[in-house]
Amino acid sequence: MNTKKGASSKLHPSAAEHPANFIVPVIRKARHGVVSIVTEEKIETVGSYDPFLEFFQPPPTEHVRTTQQFGSGFILHPSGIILTNEHVIQRSNNIRVKVYGMKSYLPATPIWKDEKRDLAMIQVKTKQRLRPPPIGSCKDTQIGEYVIAVGNPFGLDQTVTFGIVSGKHRSLKVGNRSYDNVIQTDAAINPGNSGGPLLNMLGQVIAVNTLAITPSQSIGFAIPIDEFKEKIK
């Protein structure tokens, strides 16, 4: 009886290596380039004050509380440049980034913002050379094509969801922002996924996961990477 490890692994291969699990190698290829983002915003509040009772109550006091939000992003350049959504860092006083394989968060600094297109770049400083995922294009992406979303929903970093391209060239208006040409997908996108990559089956980034309609059943939207390619060059 052969008891060598190599022989044992051949007799009992990992289920992840089964050809049906075609998503596994895609994630292995791309996950090093996906980052989790945590931002902090300081909000000042002032206590209530009634001028008619000014002799009977102390003056209003100011309180500062800090709120924490989650977001996602992906590496554009090995030097530490990261792409995310502008709304992820819009009002943040402190930005921290966690890179795959690193135990601690790195401080990040905004270096470029485009509020209209809801895109932004931030940069971290690290001696480690980072690994950007390959950049693709969604011009030839077909409705019904498989796609994968990777991100940090609710602080659960490196979360992977799977679906299809549900539609293309959608137009949306959310608050003061207008999204003129976005991809619709049923790959689950939740709060915290914003800024993360939407991948094709080659592991290429084809879009930036941005928002979802709530309440809904898996109706999410992503900004095509082609909208941003001139900045990557």
Side-chain angles (χ1 to χ4, degrees):
M1 182 176 178
N2 194 335
T3 58
K4 292 182 179 180
K5 288 185 178 180
S8 177
S9 64
K10 289 179 180 179
L11 291 172
H12 305 285
S14 168
E17 306 303 327
H18 192 282
N21 287 319
F22 56 93
I23 297 175
V24 173
V26 177
I27 297 304
R28 285 176 179 167
K29 181 180 179 181
R31 62 188 175 187
H32 297 275
V34 182
V35 305
S36 299
I37 299 174
V38 177
T39 65
E40 292 179 352
E41 178 187 356
K42 291 182 179 180
I43 300 175
E44 295 184 2
T45 58
V46 180
S48 60
Y49 178 65
D50 187 342
F52 296 104
L53 299 175
E54 61 180 339
F55 296 111
F56 303 99
Q57 68 178 18
T61 56
E62 293 185 359
H63 300 278
V64 178
R65 63 185 180 91
T66 301
T67 63
Q68 192 177 75
Q69 303 291 334
F70 300 106
S72 308
F74 57 93
I75 298 164
L76 285 180
H77 193 273
S79 64
I81 299 175
I82 293 164
L83 181 67
T84 187
N85 282 130
E86 194 273 339
H87 76 256
V88 169
I89 63 168
Q90 186 179 34
R91 293 181 295 271
S92 60
N93 302 105
N94 182 29
I95 306 170
R96 293 180 295 135
V97 170
K98 187 177 182 183
V99 179
Y100 179 82
M102 293 187 182
K103 293 182 179 180
S104 58
Y105 282 81
L106 301 172
T109 305
I111 57 174
W112 176 82
K113 293 181 181 180
D114 187 332
E115 184 176 357
K116 183 178 179 181
R117 289 193 291 179
D118 196 11
L119 294 169
M121 285 191 293
I122 58 177
Q123 185 164 23
V124 297
K125 291 184 179 180
T126 175
K127 294 180 180 179
Q128 180 176 328
R129 190 170 176 82
L130 304 183
R131 296 167 59 178
I135 303 298
S137 171
C138 67
K139 289 182 178 179
D140 297 324
T141 300
Q142 301 295 308
I143 294 174
E145 186 176 322
Y146 287 142
V147 285
I148 305 168
V150 189
N152 183 37
F154 301 103
L156 301 169
D157 67 322
Q158 294 292 321
T159 292
V160 176
T161 57
F162 173 66
I164 63 169
V165 173
S166 305
K168 294 181 68 177
H169 310 300
R170 302 295 198 201
S171 296
L172 299 171
K173 185 171 179 60
V174 182
N176 296 325
R177 284 192 174 92
S178 295
Y179 300 90
D180 299 326
N181 177 32
V182 291
I183 294 175
Q184 181 185 336
T185 178
D186 69 350
I189 296 175
N190 294 288
N193 270 114
S194 293
L198 188 69
L199 307 171
N200 62 18
M201 288 298 101
L202 299 177
Q204 300 170 334
V205 179
I206 61 167
V208 182
N209 300 319
T210 300
L211 56 95
I213 292 179
T214 56
S216 70
Q217 292 293 322
S218 301
I219 301 179
F221 300 93
I223 301 170
I225 197 65
D226 304 83
E227 301 276 316
F228 185 73
K229 270 194 168 182
E230 76 277 4
K231 274 283 181 184
I232 301 175
K233 294 177 181 178

